[in-house]
Amino acid sequence: MQPLPVDSPIRRPAPRGAEVAATALGCASLLLLVLVTIPWHPLVALDADIARTVHGWALDNPGLTRTARFLTDWVWDPATMRVLCAVAVFWLLWRQRDRRLALWVAATCALGAVAQNVAKAAIGRARPEWPDPLDVVHNGAFPSGHAMTAALVCGLLLWVLRRYGARGVLWCTALTVAVVSVIGVGLTRVWLGVHWPSDVLGGWLFGALLVVLAVASYERWGGTEKNTTRRAGRS
């Protein structure tokens, strides 16, 4: 069988795994959205119990609380995450000449920001209130914008790295940093008392869902194997 030329673009269907993941994440996101909107008493009670316990820990550990505030306001802030996404888009445009993937990444990140703000306004869930607050935020609670943006941007960056052949130490490092960032930012939001745990879970689910939908739609309609084939040929 004659091998395909390295530069021949191949439009491939969305991988089955991406479709299954999108379905699972979509169902989980919808279920959580319904439970939050109702609101479902067991979820509300669980959120309150966890939030009260964690708020007590935060008050008793001011050093950790200061660290959490620094991380959430500067390192894992949505603005910081979007700057990282912009850097990746710039790299795709100017170093790789991959305008299609750059557009897909930028559009997905923008869509995430819009969807997050629309959901917050539409659901209008109140944030936790404390007599001794550690931080104050006034917009809607669900979903957590920090958690959603971190999951979305880290997922998109991992996708780009994987498409361009990242492996070994680079891939393990990137994956570790992404996982720590996504989990870490969610914990800081609950620790500072500005989100219920289910807000963070919702942010993670919605962010991951957008990443999977972006990957599946790109592989079906937008992408080719041109770049990845070249990388494989150079290895």
Side-chain angles (χ1 to χ4, degrees):
M1 186 175 182
Q2 192 70 18
L4 291 166
V6 168
D7 289 335
S8 297
I10 303 173
R11 194 174 301 279
R12 55 185 179 181
R16 179 67 176 169
E19 294 176 348
V20 172
T23 301
L25 286 168
C27 291
S29 300
L30 180 60
L31 176 61
L32 181 60
L33 178 62
V34 170
L35 295 179
V36 167
T37 305
I38 294 176
W40 191 48
H41 178 72
L43 178 63
V44 173
L46 179 62
D47 271 340
D49 287 344
I50 295 174
R52 277 194 299 268
T53 300
V54 174
H55 186 65
W57 294 343
L59 291 173
D60 292 339
N61 294 273
L64 281 176
T65 300
R66 285 192 295 270
T67 300
R69 184 176 288 111
F70 171 77
L71 290 172
T72 200
D73 287 346
W74 296 99
V75 180
W76 295 323
D77 183 71
T80 304
M81 289 290 165
R82 288 171 189 140
V83 167
L84 290 176
C85 192
V87 170
V89 169
F90 181 83
W91 178 77
L92 288 169
L93 285 172
W94 296 102
R95 294 298 301 273
Q96 302 301 325
R97 299 292 191 265
D98 195 342
R99 291 188 295 273
R100 187 171 294 175
L101 183 57
L103 174 63
W104 225 270
V105 171
T108 304
C109 190
L111 176 62
V114 172
Q116 162 201 312
N117 288 314
V118 169
K120 283 177 176 289
I123 297 168
R125 190 185 199 189
R127 292 177 182 265
E129 294 185 4
W130 310 103
D132 43 8
L134 297 168
D135 200 353
V136 178
V137 185
H138 298 292
N139 61 347
F142 186 89
S144 165
H146 281 69
M148 182 173 173
T149 304
L152 175 61
V153 171
C154 288
L156 290 173
L157 295 181
L158 289 175
W159 175 39
V160 170
L161 286 173
R162 201 61 170 176
R163 280 191 63 86
Y164 277 87
R167 56 175 62 87
V169 174
L170 174 60
W171 175 252
C172 290
T173 302
L175 184 60
T176 300
V177 171
V179 170
V180 170
S181 297
V182 172
I183 295 176
V185 73
L187 295 179
T188 64
R189 304 312 284 164
V190 178
W191 185 269
L192 293 172
V194 293
H195 276 294
W196 306 108
S198 57
D199 298 335
V200 171
L201 178 59
W204 287 337
L205 288 173
F206 293 157
L209 175 60
L210 284 176
V211 172
V212 173
L213 289 175
V215 172
S217 61
Y218 183 84
E219 297 299 338
R220 182 177 293 279
W221 297 301
T224 69
E225 289 188 350
K226 184 175 180 179
N227 290 327
T228 53
T229 308
R230 276 181 177 166
R231 300 286 168 177
R234 290 176 186 170
S235 299

